[in-house]
């Protein structure tokens, strides 16, 4: 601006000083240097060249400065004048945040439940009730968040703005679930007092470890018996569970030893850290062994129920064939479904006398064939459907629990919906069965994609890979990270290396 003013002044100066009224004293006359020099009484054009050049340069500099200031304001990273409104995240970014929030909140609830089981064994149910209440409240928030997410996945609501609000609701519910757990973490630490001494807690963990070691040996024999007694598909849900249980126990052994050594040396914080990691390994070994034991019991129950379910199914088919039966189906559709049901029951009867078969799958096919007739189900068929659904949901829950380090939001949301359907008491057994199957399939896919970033090498602790995959450790430090403790996002990883 200063340069521009100088240039303008220079331009008008000759004009203002031109004429006869010049107040400056005139020097005495001297001989002319050249007779040819003309007398100029007006401003010469050459006098304007330099002022114009200055003015142009000043304008160019002003324009350059303006462009620099504009570009700097747009890319500013230091405090300054910025828009009062924060940038609005895109729909894709909000959806990603909602998925991450669901996984984190679910992990916090699962990890909190694991530690709470050890505290309850040592101090009793009454002493841990405040923490159990916080966990129930967190699970209520989480269940609501999963329900909103599932409706979002199904396209409800349809309006873009409402869908964004639904995602914000999911994130908010998850945050509240985490806050509930964070609020009680310090008090649980005071109750357990691990940093002051792990003696009694270590004894509880070691006792569970010894019990699980014996159960794991028995579960190995049980799993082998499933393959001998039933069709291969019957034992598929627990394939590899015994080996994984052994891996978790190896990890627990290492951590228990480290905890005792740290306690003996007076390092309470490190002893507490290793004890929590050992407790996580023991819990997950128990889930894996329990999965084998439960499936064996369910298959035995199913095998005893199949003949009765066949009889009940035939009764329902006969009812549907009667004139004026209770089914609302059109005649042609009813005949097609009756033919299908007859075929299913005939195939199951052939399997009963044909060698090893899958009793749970047989019950599933009977229940679904009868359900398609829409005449209601007899008590025995209803019991068969419930047993199948319980088995599917339990198997999916176990799988997610011991692989949660890799399982994403979609599988967890299906599982949460399956749990709600099973617990509704409204005859939604078939829905729960289907949803649990979808959850298991999605979870297995997530695990395959995740792979094994912590292969067992000389630089890694024994069982570290399984501990990371199971979400026992948080993978934030050279030795994989702190163990999961009771709490939400702010407190669950508080036992970090110092």
């Amino acid at each position: 601006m200063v340069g521009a003013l100088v240039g303008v002044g220079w331009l008008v100066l000759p004009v203002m000083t031109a004429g006869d009224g010049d107040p400056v004293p005139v020097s005495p006359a001297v001989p002319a240097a050249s007779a040819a020099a003309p007398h100029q009484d007006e401003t010469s054009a050459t006098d304007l060249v330099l002022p114009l050049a200055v003015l142009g340069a000043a304008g160019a500099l002003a324009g350059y400065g303006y462009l620099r200031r504009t570009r700097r304001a747009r890319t500013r990273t230091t405090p300054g004048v910025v828009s009062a409104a924060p940038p609005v995240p895109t729909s894709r970014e909000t959806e990603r945040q909602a998925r991450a929030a669901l996984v984190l909140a679910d992990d916090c609830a699962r990890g909190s439940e694991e530690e709470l089981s050890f505290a309850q064994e040592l101090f009793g149910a009454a002493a841990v009730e405040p923490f159990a209440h916080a966990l129930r409240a967190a699970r209520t928030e989480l269940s609501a968040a999963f329900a909103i997410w599932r409706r979002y996945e199904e396209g409800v609501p349809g309006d873009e703005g409402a869908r964004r609000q639904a995602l914000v609701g999911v994130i908010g519910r998850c945050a509240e679930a985490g806050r509930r757990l964070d609020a009680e973490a310090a008090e649980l630490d005071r109750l357990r007092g691990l940093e002051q001494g792990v003696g009694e807690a270590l004894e509880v963990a070691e006792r569970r470890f010894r019990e699980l070691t014996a159960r794991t040996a028995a579960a190995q024999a049980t799993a082998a018996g499933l393959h001998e007694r039933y069709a291969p598909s019957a034992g598929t849900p627990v394939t590899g569970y015994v080996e994984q249980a052994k891996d978790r126990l190896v990890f627990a052994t290492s951590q228990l030893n480290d905890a005792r050594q740290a306690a003996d040396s007076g390092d309470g914080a490190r002893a507490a850290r290793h004890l929590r990691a050992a407790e996580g390994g023991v819990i997950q070994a128990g889930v894996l062994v329990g999965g084998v034991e439960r499936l064996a019991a369910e298959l035995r129950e199913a095998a005893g129920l199949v003949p009765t379910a066949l009889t009940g199914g035939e009764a329902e088919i006969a009812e549907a064939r009667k004139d004026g039966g209770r089914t609302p189906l059109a005649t042609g559709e009813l005949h097609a479904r009756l033919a299908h049901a007859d075929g299913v029951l005939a195939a199951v009867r052939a399997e009963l006398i044909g060698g090893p078969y899958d009793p749970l799958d047989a019950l599933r096919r009977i229940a679904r064939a009868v359900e398609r007739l829409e005449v209601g189900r007899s008590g025995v068929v209803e019991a068969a459907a419930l047993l199948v659904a319980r088995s599917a949901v339990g198997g999916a829950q176990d799988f997610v629990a011991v692989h949660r380090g890799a399982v994403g939001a979609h599988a967890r949301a299906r599982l949460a919906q399956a749990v709600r359907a099973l617990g509704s008491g409204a005859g939604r057994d078939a829905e729960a069965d289907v949803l649990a199957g979808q959850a298991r399939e999605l979870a297995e896919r997530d695990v395959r994609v995740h792979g094994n970033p912590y292969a067992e090498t000389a630089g890694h602790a024994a069982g570290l890979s399984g501990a990371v995959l199971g979400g026992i450790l948080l993978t934030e430090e050279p030795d994989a990270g702190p163990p999961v403790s009771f709490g939400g996002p702010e407190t669950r990883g508080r036992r970090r290396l110092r």
Side-chain angles (χ1 to χ4, degrees):
M1 290 300 294
V2 172
L5 290 175
V6 171
V8 171
W10 202 332
L11 281 172
V12 301
L13 181 61
V15 177
M16 295 177 60
T17 59
D20 296 330
D22 192 342
V24 181
V26 181
S27 301
V30 294
S34 172
H39 174 69
Q40 295 182 356
D41 58 354
E42 293 181 359
T43 303
S44 172
T46 58
D47 294 335
L48 302 179
V49 173
L50 185 57
L52 286 173
V54 172
L55 182 61
L61 289 172
Y64 176 70
Y66 172 76
L67 292 176
R68 291 259 336 245
R69 287 194 303 273
T70 302
R71 186 179 298 112
R72 188 165 56 247
R74 290 175 179 171
T75 60
R76 184 186 301 274
T77 58
T78 57
V81 179
V82 296
S83 173
V88 178
T90 64
S91 297
R92 186 182 298 274
E93 175 64 16
T94 306
E95 185 176 313
R96 185 197 66 77
Q97 292 173 358
R99 285 197 304 269
L102 285 167
V103 171
L104 178 58
D106 191 44
D107 281 349
C108 289
R110 292 177 183 275
S112 296
E113 185 176 14
E114 290 177 357
E115 180 169 7
L116 197 58
S117 72
F118 283 94
Q120 181 170 336
E121 183 170 344
L122 190 57
F123 299 103
V128 302
E129 175 54 30
F131 315 110
H133 176 76
L135 180 57
R136 289 193 297 268
R139 286 201 176 279
T140 298
E141 296 289 346
L142 183 57
S143 178
F146 273 126
I148 297 171
W149 173 259
R150 281 295 294 133
R151 288 194 295 272
Y152 176 87
E153 283 187 312
E154 294 165 354
V156 180
D159 177 70
E160 184 61 29
R163 287 177 67 76
R164 184 186 295 274
Q165 285 303 114
L167 292 175
V168 172
V170 169
I171 296 170
R173 293 276 191 172
C174 292
E176 178 60 16
R179 188 196 66 78
R180 294 271 191 159
L181 297 172
D182 281 329
E184 300 294 337
E187 189 61 34
L188 182 64
D189 282 352
R190 281 191 287 271
L191 175 66
R192 299 200 73 189
L194 297 182
E195 281 74 12
Q196 287 72 47
V198 297
E200 293 185 34
L202 187 58
E203 291 176 3
V204 170
E206 289 175 338
R207 182 170 63 250
R208 283 202 194 184
F209 173 86
R210 289 190 295 270
E211 293 171 354
L212 272 171
T213 301
R215 285 175 58 195
T216 301
Q220 186 166 14
T222 300
L226 296 182
H227 292 290
E228 296 172 0
R229 185 173 180 181
Y230 305 107
S233 62
T236 297
V238 296
T239 298
Y241 273 26
V242 174
E243 288 72 22
Q244 292 180 56
K246 292 178 179 178
D247 182 73
R248 300 297 197 278
L249 290 175
V250 168
F251 174 77
T253 300
S254 171
Q255 296 300 314
L256 288 170
N257 290 337
D258 290 343
R260 188 165 290 284
Q261 291 173 7
D264 292 341
S265 65
D267 191 343
R270 188 170 290 274
R273 174 188 172 94
H274 288 300
L275 175 62
R276 274 300 305 132
E279 289 175 345
V282 169
I283 281 283
Q284 292 201 3
V287 171
L288 291 160
V289 170
V292 175
E293 295 169 342
R294 190 189 64 251
L295 179 61
E298 290 167 346
L299 287 169
R300 286 194 300 271
E301 184 179 355
L305 193 57
V306 168
T308 310
L310 282 170
T311 302
E314 289 170 346
E316 295 298 326
I317 292 173
E319 178 68 23
R321 279 199 172 94
K322 290 181 180 178
D323 291 338
R326 293 169 290 159
T327 178
L329 298 172
T331 303
E333 180 66 19
L334 174 61
H335 288 165
R337 295 190 182 188
L338 283 170
H340 175 263
D342 285 334
V344 168
L345 267 62
V348 172
R349 287 196 178 278
E351 290 174 4
L352 286 178
I353 61 175
Y357 71 105
D358 184 343
L360 284 169
D361 182 62
L363 290 180
R364 177 180 289 112
R365 286 181 287 148
I366 293 170
R368 290 183 180 179
V370 171
E371 183 181 34
R372 294 182 72 243
L373 299 177
E374 298 187 20
V375 295
R377 293 182 298 191
S378 64
V380 66
V381 177
E382 187 72 32
L386 180 59
L387 174 59
V388 168
R390 279 205 323 262
S391 179
V393 171
Q397 286 179 313
D398 289 348
F399 188 88
V400 172
V402 298
H403 299 89
R404 65 174 184 258
V407 177
H410 296 295
R412 298 176 194 238
R414 291 291 205 291
L415 178 56
Q417 190 177 8
V419 172
R420 287 195 303 274
L422 184 62
S424 67
R428 298 170 62 190
D429 309 325
E431 179 187 358
D433 180 36
V434 171
L435 289 167
Q438 293 173 352
R440 177 71 180 258
E441 183 178 350
L442 289 169
E444 289 177 346
R445 185 187 67 185
D446 288 343
V447 171
R448 288 194 299 269
V449 171
H450 181 269
N452 180 13
Y454 283 84
E456 304 296 348
T457 65
H460 289 144
L464 179 62
S465 173
V468 171
L469 182 61
I472 299 169
L473 302 178
L474 296 181
T475 66
E476 298 173 0
E477 295 169 359
D479 66 341
V484 171
S485 299
F486 182 102
E490 299 298 323
T491 57
R492 70 176 188 141
R494 56 189 176 274
R495 292 187 171 92
R496 290 179 170 85
L497 289 174
R498 301 303 180 189

